[in-house]
Amino acid sequence: MPARPRIPDPRKGALEKFAFDLRQLGAGKVGVSWIAAQEDTEASRPALYAALSGTRLPNGMTVSTLLRWWAGNPDEEDPDARSRDPIWGWIQRLPAGCDAQAQANDWKQRYLRLSRAESKRRSARDRSWKPTPPVQIDTPREQHLLIEEIKGLIERTGLSQDMWLLFGPETLRIERYLSGRVIPNYYWIYQIVLYCEEFIPDLHRDDETDRLYAAAEIARRARVRERRIARNASPARRGRG
């Protein structure tokens, strides 16, 4: 990744205009390298720079990280304020009604509108694309390990036999994760830990979230690997060989 991203042309579309304006917002403020070096920064330095190039839509965590320092003000955040949103929760920690909170919310809504528009554009493009036939795979060992880790956390609450009391209406979603049908993303791993934290006094939320998220990423890569192996072994692929 170059030390500085390409300068986007705001005349070429909404994505480049967003990246261009984001660069302008950060002019004269703390630099990307400095933001990336902070202990609570979860986005990588290359990802932060890439968000300023306008070549592709960055994920919410990356944009939120830049906005926290350029639109918000971490020095004004209330460290005791709680939020279930691991991406945009810092906005709620700002003083209610302050200029920084208003500006951060405006940028958040702009990003969400752009994200929805990009999603529609990709869907329209994908409808004209013939996908590769799906392949069936067994749940890989790495995903079984993730499932056991989540089950172990739930068992520590003492409510593993009454998960509805723990997760309420989200119980069906959690059961999908435990069945191996879906791998939870960072947001839902954080939610699982947050629900369980109320019943486990000595639980370290951030450490537990990081541990489960690392296991989820390993499981996700394992599924990609198994699908690739299955495709290469399929009769259609062998027939083309």
Side-chain angles (χ1 to χ4, degrees), residues 8-229:
D9 185 344
R11 299 168 297 179
K12 289 187 175 181
L15 180 58
E16 294 221 14
K17 178 70 164 59
F18 181 85
F20 180 85
D21 291 347
L22 191 58
R23 288 172 61 101
Q24 294 296 104
L25 179 68
K29 300 177 182 177
V30 294
V32 170
S33 295
W34 190 88
I35 294 174
Q38 302 310 297
E39 289 186 1
D40 56 351
T41 293
E42 297 185 21
S44 69
R45 180 172 174 268
L48 294 173
Y49 274 124
L52 303 177
S53 68
T55 55
R56 60 180 297 180
L57 182 72
N59 65 35
M61 179 62 76
T62 301
V63 172
S64 175
T65 298
L66 293 172
L67 291 178
R68 184 180 178 219
W69 292 97
W70 292 350
N73 187 344
D75 291 336
E76 294 183 359
E77 293 176 17
D78 178 1
D80 296 324
R82 294 171 63 88
S83 172
R84 289 184 177 274
D85 188 342
I87 297 178
W88 303 100
W90 58 269
I91 297 178
Q92 306 308 315
R93 294 196 296 268
L94 291 168
C98 70
D99 291 343
Q101 188 179 68
Q103 184 181 34
N105 273 317
D106 286 344
W107 271 95
K108 172 188 173 182
Q109 293 306 317
R110 181 177 175 184
Y111 171 76
L112 294 178
R113 288 194 299 269
L114 178 63
S115 180
R116 287 193 290 269
E118 283 291 299
S119 178
K120 290 180 180 179
R121 183 185 64 80
R122 291 173 183 170
S123 295
R125 180 195 63 195
D126 292 344
R127 281 196 292 270
S128 63
W129 172 71
K130 187 176 181 180
T132 302
V135 294
Q136 298 297 320
I137 63 171
D138 294 328
T139 303
R141 180 182 62 85
E142 293 87 345
Q143 190 175 354
H144 280 300
L145 293 175
L146 169 65
I147 292 170
E148 290 305 312
E149 293 281 2
I150 296 175
K151 285 182 177 178
L153 176 63
I154 294 173
E155 287 173 359
R156 289 170 62 190
T157 68
L159 295 171
S160 58
Q161 301 303 315
D162 299 288
M163 288 208 305
W164 185 261
L165 297 176
L166 180 59
F167 298 112
E170 302 299 344
T171 301
L172 294 178
R173 176 188 293 273
I174 306 305
E175 288 177 344
R176 292 177 67 206
Y177 299 146
L178 298 178
S179 72
R181 285 178 288 173
V182 183
I183 295 176
N185 59 20
Y186 182 89
Y187 175 81
W188 280 105
I189 286 175
Y190 181 87
Q191 293 299 307
I192 291 170
V193 173
L194 204 59
Y195 281 116
C196 293
E197 181 185 28
E198 297 181 19
F199 299 90
I200 309 175
D202 60 344
L203 184 69
H204 296 284
R205 183 199 310 168
D206 293 341
D207 292 344
E208 194 70 21
T209 301
D210 290 345
R211 185 176 68 84
L212 290 179
Y213 181 63
E217 286 299 290
I218 292 172
R220 191 169 284 110
R221 289 195 293 268
R223 288 191 67 86
V224 171
R225 178 196 68 214
E226 294 302 311
R227 282 196 294 267
R228 182 173 62 249
I229 293 172

